[in-house]
Amino acid sequence: MTHTTHLASPLAVALAALALAAGCDEPSGAPGKAAEKPSQTTSASAQPAALKPGDAAPDVTFKLHDGREVKLSSLQGKQVLVYFYPKDDTPGCTIQAKGLRDGWADLQGAGLEVYGVSTQDAQSHQAFVEKYELPFPLVVDEGGAVSTAFRVPLRNELSARQSFLIGKDGKIKQVWLEVDPKEHAAAILAAAKS
């Protein structure tokens, strides 16, 4: 029995490390929960192919954390960053949001609108915005309709970390299917200026 305990502990640590390496910064759960991820990821492979540059951006309506609604097509004529992240106030998501906040003047100078999207409710988003003084709105994607429209995989009901830069013409200009939270703002700014 002691032998089993020694095996379970390193296994839990290894699974948590793998989850973090995969960019998933949701709270780690029991080893059984982490083991469910491969089957959910596998089922995600049955989803339509990822959006790519040149595709029309989905015409969705964003429900914002402050109760407002914005139809994406109403932003045509502006560059828009729609970035998906797993969960409010977790390490990687906080680094990513703070990077955009800290680069806000440059992003605004490039004429960029920014919308962060995750599946938490308006109250969670409001707390995240207030805690880190985020200057951009967060989209409430309970149920994952916006994630689905953008073909962003959901893992354990959390959006994968992906970003989409939409050009002034309403078409996808650039896609990041893998995002480094620390470098995100600089990559977005470079793409918006090109």
Side-chain angles (χ1 to χ4, degrees):
M1 197 156 218
T2 308
H3 183 66
T4 305
T5 304
H6 288 298
L7 289 177
S9 180
L11 176 61
V13 171
L15 288 172
L18 285 173
L20 287 173
C24 182
D25 53 13
E26 72 232 46
S28 57
K33 240 183 171 181
E36 292 171 7
K37 288 186 181 205
S39 64
Q40 289 178 353
T41 304
T42 304
S43 67
S45 65
Q47 292 181 339
L51 292 174
K52 60 188 183 309
D55 288 346
D59 191 15
V60 294
T61 297
F62 294 147
K63 294 180 181 176
L64 306 182
H65 71 276
D66 60 7
R68 292 180 298 135
E69 291 191 356
V70 174
K71 194 165 177 70
L72 186 53
S73 60
S74 73
L75 300 173
Q76 199 157 343
K78 300 176 181 180
Q79 290 192 92
V80 180
L81 170 66
V82 180
Y83 85 94
F84 294 83
Y85 64 96
K87 193 170 182 182
D88 293 334
D89 209 12
T90 53
C93 299
T94 300
I95 289 167
Q96 185 176 17
K98 286 169 64 178
L100 291 166
R101 177 201 67 194
D102 295 346
W104 188 244
D106 292 332
L107 294 169
Q108 290 288 278
L112 198 61
E113 297 269 337
V114 176
Y115 293 87
V117 183
S118 73
T119 57
Q120 289 77 60
D121 62 21
Q123 185 177 357
S124 176
H125 283 350
Q126 184 67 40
F128 192 38
V129 165
E130 289 175 3
K131 183 174 182 178
Y132 296 105
E133 300 178 352
L134 303 180
F136 50 86
L138 299 179
V139 177
V140 177
D141 192 23
E142 286 182 291
V146 176
S147 298
T148 300
F150 274 84
R151 304 180 195 168
V152 173
L154 290 168
R155 298 181 185 105
N156 296 329
E157 300 179 6
L158 301 176
S159 301
R161 190 184 310 282
Q162 296 185 357
S163 292
F164 301 83
L165 179 62
I166 302 166
K168 294 179 180 181
D169 59 0
K171 293 185 178 177
I172 305 289
K173 183 174 177 180
Q174 192 158 340
V175 176
W176 292 265
L177 297 180
E178 298 200 9
V179 174
D180 178 344
K182 293 177 185 174
E183 304 298 326
H184 189 235
I188 297 302
L189 184 60
K193 288 183 172 180
S194 65

